[in-house]
Amino acid sequence: MADSEGRTTRTTVRTITDLARLAGVSPGTVSRALAGKSLVNTQTREKIEALAREHGFRPNQMASGLRRQKTGVIGVVIPLGHDTRQQISDSFFMTLLGYLADELTTHGYDLMLRRVVPETDPDWLDRFIGSGMIDGVIVIGQSDQFERIEDVADGYRAMVVWGNHTEGQRHCVVGTDNRLGGRMAAERLIAAGATRLAFLGDTGPMEFAARFAGAQDVAARMGLSPILPLPTHLSPNRASAEIAQHLAVHGHAIDGIFAATDTLAALCLTELRAQGLAVPEDVKLVGFDDLPVARQTVPALTTVRQDIAAGARGLVDLLLRRLAGETTESFVLPPELVLRETA
Amino acid sequence: MADSEGRTTRTTVRTITDLARLAGVSPGTVSRALAGKSLVNTQTREKIEALAREHGFRPNQMASGLRRQKTGVIGVVIPLGHDTRQQISDSFFMTLLGYLADELTTHGYDLMLRRVVPETDPDWLDRFIGSGMIDGVIVIGQSDQFERIEDVADGYRAMVVWGNHTEGQRHCVVGTDNRLGGRMAAERLIAAGATRLAFLGDTGPMEFAARFAGAQDVAARMGLSPILPLPTHLSPNRASAEIAQHLAVHGHAIDGIFAATDTLAALCLTELRAQGLAVPEDVKLVGFDDLPVARQTVPALTTVRQDIAAGARGLVDLLLRRLAGETTESFVLPPELVLRETA
DNA sequence: ATTGCTGTTGCAATCGTTTGCAAGATGATT
DNA sequence: AATCATCTTGCAAACGATTGCAACAGCAAT
């Protein structure tokens, strides 16, 4: 094709109307053809498809979304605690995010990622939902926002949350049975010979609280003294110093540590060595998550496994069902103890 | 407010028109008030803002985006190689993604994440850009898609790529000087006494090829025999077996390994121990990235550091500039050798 | 009383796609 | 030849927010 000055010009076709003009049909027909509806003559459809391919045309998703009142996008939001840097780079969340991306893609959805700091933005969840940009939302981690999530759940169905399940809660959640996982960890530590236990990690977030409670159950049942909580930030740079401090104070008063995550466990292992405490001889150690790092530490980490891939599948599956109008129950995954060398 | 049956009904206000009716003004005025334009009377604005707050109203971003021809969303796309599972869960990419999320949020943009497999979807980049859903795109990793990215760059400005810089390329890239990093790694191995070097990792992807080439430079300059490439997948489950295999065959013929990433280096360390090779006595080892794992291995990993946070800042900064119409040069970050215990 | 200015507001078109409805074409049936 | 059913297609009205333009009010200056 050549314009009046003789240059070859690929007529730019941006809209469905442009394409319709080229094909000699109406925009409506083009829309139907591209959407693969059955009401279009086969020849017409093929002609339109050919033209679309030739000009690399794709219908504008904003306009389409506006008209159809759905966007094909699922929001994934990570509420961060006080410790801003904390979780977004945390292996566990990132791994889960990776699987979610896979799973959503497979089902034809795009993923919109948002990290929020509820403390400075109390309106975080409504804002995301009300933006009109997403068909549904997956919340990764309840953090300390349980109540707000509950409130929203009453009026908004297209939401699924990764986190801990509490009896009678109103929002749909997918997550590991943290309390049971905590019991497993404590049982293992005790079976390995430990009697004075500590819990490494913040007990504020619900998941961690449940893990701690589970361990506490066992300690109480076995008649041991209560488990010593050693609160610690999750960001690696702060955690190391805090762990070192904890060990300096309590290192010789304890002989079993249940770490809230493998990341903390790995750091703890380094600090234990630095302070001359042998694992598992002097101190037994159990982690949580079974991240790749658990296999690589020396000695390799005994830990409670969460099936992250299954979790991602569950989140997406439940969300899609809810989008389709079903009512869904929460989905609790069983933890699994992985025996390695630290306990 | 109460309806005829006496229930209190928060009249649902979904659109700007609803709100306008409530406020007794026209939709246009509401739009202007909420957008913070100066042409609205202060009292009117306050009244509208109060109503909006009361009813939790937010303008629909789809409609807004359509009209204004911008979405406030930046696309982030990760092209995966053959090895589908490979990178999305790779620590390096995930860490970069975390920083990107931070950085984009700070600038008021949302992040739309998409993972693609170029082999099965040759059109991946045009599709994303042409969707009309994003104002710009950040490509994480060139993978083996250099040419396609170049093609797109000619016609689309709002793109920045994480990857390797090649003389004369047309797309704007941010990344570490991989070749220099490779030289640093090889120099360190040699300084530590190694003379028969190997490169652990696939040399296909551009970044890795450059690292390998840098190491090769040094080997040639020092008159050593060529570096032995030991191609390996990145996914942890496959990598371990492949590394074991490599070491079984060549383990005693080499005394220095440059691993393409810290992840591989950490796995390699495990396999070396399993095969009874002492590090650094029998074999020296240098990694790349300086991920948290590098600090936690035993012995701790000597590695070439990439400043991921700076990279994320660079990507976002350049992209925003391009959105504003500037022409930008690529941005190459200096690598830094971090001496620990493996070399 | 007229003119001109400033500050606010409303009107209506627009962004690009989808879809209910009706109209036209075609062929089959009576 | 008239009637009817079946396919295709076009028309035009949405979806919800934005914005150029014009109108209007209020006020000051002439």
Side-chain angles (χ1 to χ4, degrees):
Chain A
M1 204 174 293
D3 69 7
S4 56
E5 298 173 16
R7 288 169 297 160
T8 52
T9 63
R10 261 169 72 88
T11 33
T12 166
V13 28
R14 256 178 352 96
T15 75
I16 239 180
T17 313
D18 294 342
L19 196 61
R21 197 167 12 224
L22 243 60
V25 296
S26 77
T29 304
V30 173
S31 171
R32 281 185 273 251
L34 261 33
K37 308 239 173 170
S38 55
L39 325 80
V40 183
N41 181 287
T42 314
Q43 292 185 25
T44 320
R45 145 164 309 121
E46 279 167 4
K47 181 173 170 186
I48 291 172
E49 281 172 348
L51 278 171
R53 217 171 310 119
E54 180 187 342
H55 292 84
F57 171 79
R58 343 206 152 276
N60 182 308
Q61 283 202 52
M62 283 271 154
S64 167
L66 177 58
R67 173 62 227 241
R68 297 188 314 153
Q69 298 291 78
K70 56 179 63 175
T71 64
V73 180
I74 298 297
V76 173
V77 56
I78 308 187
L80 305 180
H82 325 250
D83 192 359
T84 309
R85 260 258 160 286
Q86 160 192 342
Q87 301 171 353
I88 187 82
S89 64
D90 183 85
S91 291
F92 175 77
F93 285 96
M94 286 293 121
T95 308
L96 180 55
L97 182 60
Y99 282 109
L100 278 178
D102 284 2
E103 202 60 24
L104 286 171
T105 307
T106 309
H107 289 85
Y109 281 94
D110 269 312
L111 185 164
M112 189 147 132
L113 179 65
R114 191 179 277 197
R115 52 184 289 299
V116 298
V117 182
E119 287 205 335
T120 64
D121 177 15
D123 215 22
W124 59 279
L125 190 47
D126 302 274
R127 269 217 307 187
F128 202 21
I129 292 170
S131 71
M133 286 283 270
I134 56 176
D135 290 342
V137 63
I138 293 173
V139 180
I140 303 195
Q142 291 151 320
S143 185
D144 50 0
Q145 299 289 304
F146 189 85
E147 281 311 324
R148 183 161 296 271
I149 296 173
E150 284 281 277
D151 288 349
V152 169
D154 294 334
Y156 182 75
R157 308 197 62 262
M159 176 173 75
V160 179
V161 179
W162 173 269
N164 197 62
H165 181 73
T166 308
E167 198 58 46
Q169 72 177 55
R170 304 188 302 280
H171 66 264
C172 180
V173 79
V174 173
T176 304
D177 187 337
N178 288 293
R179 187 144 190 164
L180 176 55
R183 281 201 283 268
M184 290 173 156
E187 278 163 2
R188 177 62 208 159
L189 285 172
I190 295 167
T195 56
R196 293 158 300 158
L197 306 185
F199 178 81
L200 183 65
D202 193 355
T203 54
M206 301 212 53
E207 291 98 321
F208 292 0
R211 291 172 199 175
F212 179 60
Q216 201 62 283
D217 290 346
V218 176
R221 170 155 46 84
M222 308 286 278
L224 302 182
S225 50
I227 296 181
L228 176 70
L230 304 173
T232 309
H233 287 87
L234 283 183
S235 64
N237 30 354
R238 303 182 63 173
S240 285
E242 292 176 354
I243 295 171
Q245 175 70 14
H246 285 316
L247 292 179
V249 178
H250 304 105
H252 292 278
I254 58 182
D255 58 5
I257 300 179
F258 172 27
T261 76
D262 283 351
T263 311
L264 287 177
L267 292 170
C268 185
L269 215 42
T270 307
E271 293 305 326
L272 284 166
R273 178 172 11 227
Q275 306 209 3
L277 291 165
V279 178
E281 293 76 11
D282 299 332
V283 180
K284 332 282 180 212
L285 178 64
V286 173
F288 208 102
D289 285 345
D290 195 26
L291 299 176
V293 69
R295 216 177 304 239
Q296 290 169 29
T297 55
V298 182
L301 198 60
T302 291
T303 190
V304 178
R305 179 164 209 276
Q306 302 201 70
D307 190 340
I308 306 183
R313 278 198 302 277
L315 285 166
V316 173
D317 181 53
L318 288 185
L319 184 59
L320 295 186
R321 287 218 189 132
R322 301 194 126 235
L323 286 177
E326 281 185 51
T327 310
T328 61
E329 293 299 312
S330 289
F331 180 37
V332 178
L333 297 159
E336 181 194 349
L337 185 71
V338 179
L339 283 178
R340 294 209 180 87
E341 301 162 11
T342 56
Chain B
M1 203 175 293
D3 67 8
S4 56
E5 298 172 16
R7 286 170 297 162
T8 51
T9 63
R10 264 167 70 91
T11 33
T12 166
V13 29
R14 260 179 347 98
T15 73
I16 236 178
T17 313
D18 295 341
L19 195 62
R21 195 166 14 225
L22 244 61
V25 297
S26 78
T29 303
V30 173
S31 171
R32 281 185 274 251
L34 261 33
K37 307 238 176 176
S38 57
L39 326 79
V40 183
N41 181 287
T42 314
Q43 292 186 25
T44 319
R45 144 162 312 118
E46 280 167 2
K47 181 174 173 187
I48 292 173
E49 281 171 349
L51 278 171
R53 217 172 310 119
E54 180 188 341
H55 291 84
F57 170 79
R58 341 207 152 276
N60 183 307
Q61 283 202 52
M62 285 271 153
S64 167
L66 177 58
R67 173 63 226 243
R68 298 188 315 156
Q69 300 290 78
K70 56 178 63 174
T71 64
V73 180
I74 298 297
V76 173
V77 55
I78 307 188
L80 305 179
H82 326 249
D83 191 358
T84 310
R85 242 239 178 299
Q86 159 193 342
Q87 301 172 353
I88 188 84
S89 63
D90 183 86
S91 292
F92 175 78
F93 285 96
M94 286 294 121
T95 308
L96 180 56
L97 182 61
Y99 283 109
L100 278 177
D102 285 1
E103 202 60 24
L104 286 171
T105 306
T106 310
H107 289 86
Y109 281 94
D110 269 312
L111 186 163
M112 186 147 135
L113 179 64
R114 192 180 278 198
R115 54 183 290 297
V116 298
V117 182
E119 287 204 334
T120 64
D121 178 16
D123 216 22
W124 60 278
L125 190 46
D126 301 274
R127 269 220 303 192
F128 202 21
I129 292 170
S131 71
M133 284 284 269
I134 55 177
D135 290 341
V137 62
I138 293 173
V139 180
I140 302 196
Q142 291 149 320
S143 185
D144 51 358
Q145 299 289 305
F146 188 85
E147 282 311 323
R148 184 161 294 272
I149 296 172
E150 283 282 276
D151 288 349
V152 169
D154 293 335
Y156 183 74
R157 309 197 63 261
M159 176 173 73
V160 179
V161 179
W162 172 269
N164 197 61
H165 182 72
T166 308
E167 198 58 45
Q169 73 178 53
R170 304 189 300 281
H171 65 264
C172 180
V173 79
V174 174
T176 304
D177 188 336
N178 288 293
R179 188 144 190 166
L180 176 55
R183 280 202 284 270
M184 290 172 157
E187 277 164 3
R188 176 62 206 160
L189 286 172
I190 294 167
T195 57
R196 293 156 301 156
L197 306 186
F199 178 82
L200 183 66
D202 194 354
T203 55
M206 301 213 53
E207 290 97 322
F208 292 181
R211 292 171 199 176
F212 179 59
Q216 203 59 286
D217 290 346
V218 175
R221 171 153 46 82
M222 308 287 278
L224 302 181
S225 50
I227 297 180
L228 178 70
L230 303 173
T232 309
H233 287 89
L234 284 183
S235 65
N237 33 353
R238 303 181 64 174
S240 286
E242 292 177 355
I243 294 171
Q245 176 70 12
H246 285 316
L247 292 180
V249 178
H250 303 106
H252 293 278
I254 57 182
D255 57 6
I257 300 179
F258 171 27
T261 75
D262 282 351
T263 312
L264 286 177
L267 292 170
C268 186
L269 216 43
T270 308
E271 293 305 325
L272 283 167
R273 178 175 10 231
Q275 306 210 2
L277 291 166
V279 179
E281 293 75 11
D282 300 331
V283 179
K284 331 282 180 213
L285 178 64
V286 173
F288 208 102
D289 286 344
D290 195 25
L291 299 176
V293 68
R295 216 177 303 240
Q296 292 170 28
T297 57
V298 182
L301 198 58
T302 292
T303 190
V304 177
R305 178 162 210 277
Q306 302 201 69
D307 189 340
I308 306 182
R313 278 197 303 276
L315 285 166
V316 173
D317 181 54
L318 288 185
L319 184 60
L320 295 186
R321 287 218 190 135
R322 301 194 125 234
L323 286 176
E326 280 185 52
T327 310
T328 61
E329 293 298 314
S330 289
F331 180 36
V332 178
L333 297 158
E336 180 194 349
L337 186 71
V338 180
L339 283 180
R340 295 206 179 88
E341 302 161 11
T342 57

